[in-house]
């Protein structure tokens, strides 16, 4: 898991300022964005995250790891 200590360890390699990232992540702008995204997801009828769409239709979770599904989708 990416806890605060691990983030501080990895941040420099990613070009991140860990203190700023943690402050921003806990701030109201991010919270408001998450609330808005969750509301949009409910409006769209999403059942969970992550959600994956192909040609405007949600790909069922059980199909995402199916090679047969992706081969059929590639053929159109």
């Amino acid at each position: 898991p990416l806890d605060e200590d691990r983030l501080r360890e990895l941040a420099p390699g990613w070009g991140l300022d860990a203190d700023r990232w943690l402050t921003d992540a806990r701030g109201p702008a991010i919270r408001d964005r998450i609330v808005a995204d969750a509301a949009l997801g409910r409006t769209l009828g999403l059942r969970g995250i992550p959600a994956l769409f192909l040609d405007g239709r949600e790909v069922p979770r059980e199909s995402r790891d199916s090679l047969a599904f992706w081969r059929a989708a590639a053929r159109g």
Side-chain angles (χ1 to χ4, degrees), residues 11-70:
W14 294 340
L16 292 176
D17 175 336
D19 291 325
R20 179 175 177 197
W21 191 92
L22 290 164
T23 298
D24 289 349
R26 294 176 181 133
I30 299 299
R31 183 186 59 244
D32 292 348
R33 175 66 186 262
I34 291 169
V35 168
D37 284 352
L40 177 59
R42 283 190 299 278
T43 299
L44 295 172
L46 298 181
R47 297 170 297 211
I49 57 172
L52 178 66
F53 288 82
L54 179 65
D55 293 331
R57 295 187 340 221
E58 187 175 6
V59 176
R61 185 174 301 268
E62 57 274 4
S63 297
R64 294 179 195 168
D65 293 328
S66 166
L67 184 56
F69 171 84
W70 290 108

Side-chain angles (χ1 to χ4, degrees), residues 6 56 76:
R6 184 74 171 134

